Amino acid sequence: MIDDLEKVVTSVLPTDPSFRLIGREELDRCINEACQNALANAKDAFLLSLMRLLALPGNGHTRLIPNNAISVLPLRFVTIGTTTRLLDARSDISAAIGGELISINGVPADYIERSAEKYLAGTPQRKRVIGPIMFAWPSALQLLGVPSDGEKITYRIRHATGRIRELSLDTADLVRASTFYPRNEHGKADASWAPQSYCKIRDFGQSGALIVLPSFFDPSETALSAAIAEAATLAGSLPARTLLIDLRGNSGGNFLRTMPLIDAISEGAKDRRVGLLVDKFTFSAAIVFSAILKYRLGERLALIGEEMGDGLTFFAEGGTIELSSSGAAVRYSTAFHDWAGGRTDETTPAEIAERMVPAGALEPDRIWAENSDDVEARDRFCREVFESLSP
């Protein structure tokens, strides 16, 4: 693990510009803590030390990803709105699925969430995206002040009816964290979810059309472009029709490939209204997509949902380093983005800098937070939004 730490210190910290404003003393304190845990062969403590180190800049694209390196209890927690809910679990405790987490071993969930903040990177919303894994990770719970006799951990879950259910799980009954927590958290109940297509269209007749864009990450480099072309064709064929674009759960990818759709929407009728459905899982390139569209459409665009998973000023690009000894991964950044003020610096790639615009603040015009798996709730809400956006 000392080799892992050296890789972070020599390859990530000097490269990632988000660390420029972090003092040497603070860095050294976190590095020394990680070193002590590595020398003690305390793997989970070492990973938590690295999480704290990489969270120092408060940059959501810079963080330790422990998912492939740790084991957790068989529970999938996800934050919906501001409440933590159990969305998946081992079959014999599945009756608790859907409930809100109240406490763990008597410690309130909101206290644990606050205690975990210093280990989590990014904005408060980003921390709500990546933080729930801590609720199922026994080593993290111990560090966060949850008392345990070392054998059982008891969760109190409250259902929508108000009924309280207790789940008592053996700390030896662990599974690989990636079974319940994907490296790129999307907020779906099924941790293994992946988009079946990059574009889904739901026609609501004269009211408008819904375009669902679940991801901008396409390893094939062809499927996303084809999907965007399909969406752009629809937008161009209905130049006056109200559009809703669902970006919930879209954790990013390549926004440059989405420009044909942005152009097609922008070239529509001057009184066309457009709504963007976003949530805390909307991140990176999906935020950039929102910023450019907001800049072009101004008051004609309505942002609907909740605050997204990052602000408009951040560091991105970069890449991912796999840590061979611990099994964890490090996401690091190399490029400055400022989609609020339209600023660039020497680290901003030219192809991004030439499209940089000052979008200002991107705050929701209407608050709505629902599980993105619930298609019926989405469609009901879409009808309400179409009615509110109609001229």
Side-chain angles (χ1 to χ4, degrees):
M1 288 184 286
I2 288 293
D3 291 341
D4 285 354
L5 178 59
E6 184 175 355
K7 186 178 292 186
V8 171
V9 171
T10 60
S11 300
V12 175
L13 300 189
T15 303
D16 191 325
S18 69
F19 283 93
R20 290 173 178 172
L21 298 179
I22 307 302
R24 187 71 244 179
E25 183 178 342
E26 194 171 13
L27 283 172
D28 286 344
R29 183 167 59 250
C30 290
I31 292 169
N32 289 336
E33 180 181 311
C35 183
Q36 292 303 313
N37 287 324
L39 292 172
N41 201 31
K43 178 180 172 181
D44 282 12
F46 170 72
L47 294 174
L48 286 158
S49 298
L50 285 187
M51 288 178 70
R52 188 171 184 179
L53 169 64
L54 292 164
L56 287 177
N59 184 54
H61 290 80
T62 298
R63 69 185 185 98
L64 181 91
I65 306 172
N67 304 43
N68 288 345
I70 65 172
S71 296
V72 299
L73 292 166
L75 303 168
R76 173 158 169 74
F77 291 107
V78 172
T79 307
I80 307 297
T82 57
T83 62
T84 301
R85 298 194 174 276
L86 181 67
L87 293 194
D88 195 11
R90 193 179 59 204
S91 59
D92 60 311
I93 50 177
S94 61
I97 289 175
E100 176 187 353
L101 177 64
I102 302 302
S103 66
I104 305 176
N105 282 1
V107 180
D110 57 354
Y111 173 85
I112 301 171
E113 186 176 12
R114 290 194 300 272
S115 300
E117 287 182 355
K118 62 187 177 184
Y119 297 95
L120 305 173
T123 65
Q125 279 291 71
R126 186 62 178 164
K127 292 178 181 182
R128 292 189 178 106
V129 170
I130 61 177
I133 193 173
M134 306 286 270
F135 293 121
W137 184 7
S139 296
L141 291 174
Q142 183 178 9
L143 187 67
L144 298 176
V146 177
S148 173
D149 60 7
E151 296 181 358
K152 296 284 186 180
I153 296 181
T154 300
Y155 295 82
R156 286 174 62 85
I157 308 289
R158 179 169 58 211
H159 285 270
T161 60
R163 179 187 177 188
I164 301 291
R165 180 186 295 270
E166 287 197 351
L167 305 177
S168 188
L169 282 77
D170 195 314
T171 54
D173 188 14
L174 302 175
V175 297
R176 178 179 283 271
S178 55
T179 305
F180 285 92
Y181 297 91
R183 283 171 54 147
N184 288 318
E185 181 58 71
H186 43 64
K188 304 284 188 181
D190 181 3
S192 64
W193 173 88
Q196 295 180 343
S197 68
Y198 287 95
C199 175
K200 291 184 179 180
I201 295 171
R202 173 89 160 83
D203 191 348
F204 287 82
Q206 291 303 310
S207 297
L210 171 70
I211 301 174
V212 182
L213 303 174
S215 176
F216 294 152
F217 176 69
D218 174 21
S220 75
E221 298 186 355
T222 58
L224 175 61
S225 295
I228 291 297
E230 178 187 2
T233 298
L234 172 73
S237 67
L238 304 171
R241 189 83 62 86
T242 300
L243 296 178
L244 269 179
I245 302 173
D246 190 351
L247 294 177
R248 293 175 303 153
N250 188 323
S251 60
N254 187 341
F255 85 87
L256 296 172
R257 294 184 180 275
T258 72
M259 292 304 299
L261 176 56
I262 292 175
D263 292 339
I265 294 172
S266 304
E267 292 163 3
K270 297 302 181 184
D271 59 349
R272 166 188 263 172
R273 300 294 304 280
V274 177
L276 286 182
L277 299 182
V278 297
D279 62 8
K280 65 175 65 65
F281 304 99
T282 305
F283 189 64
S284 193
I287 295 179
V288 174
F289 178 95
S290 305
I292 297 175
L293 205 54
K294 177 65 175 179
Y295 177 77
R296 293 197 184 181
L297 298 183
E299 296 299 319
R300 293 190 290 132
L301 182 137
L303 202 65
I304 302 165
E306 60 177 330
E307 186 179 346
M308 291 183 281
D310 205 350
L312 292 182
T313 303
F314 53 84
F315 294 90
E317 275 64 76
T320 302
I321 293 176
E322 305 294 332
L323 301 181
S324 56
S325 295
S326 64
V330 172
R331 181 73 178 85
Y332 68 97
S333 304
T334 54
F336 177 67
H337 288 241
D338 179 14
W339 297 94
R343 297 176 300 138
T344 64
D345 71 8
E346 72 281 0
T347 68
T348 312
E351 66 270 22
I352 293 175
E354 67 184 21
R355 290 175 172 82
M356 189 74 67
V357 294
L362 273 185
E363 297 180 358
D365 299 292
R366 178 173 177 178
I367 301 298
W368 183 64
E370 290 287 345
N371 190 330
S372 58
D373 286 320
D374 193 335
V375 175
E376 290 185 9
R378 181 204 67 192
D379 286 357
R380 286 196 303 270
F381 184 71
C382 284
R383 292 186 178 92
E384 293 179 23
V385 174
F386 283 129
E387 184 175 349
S388 69
L389 294 180
S390 61

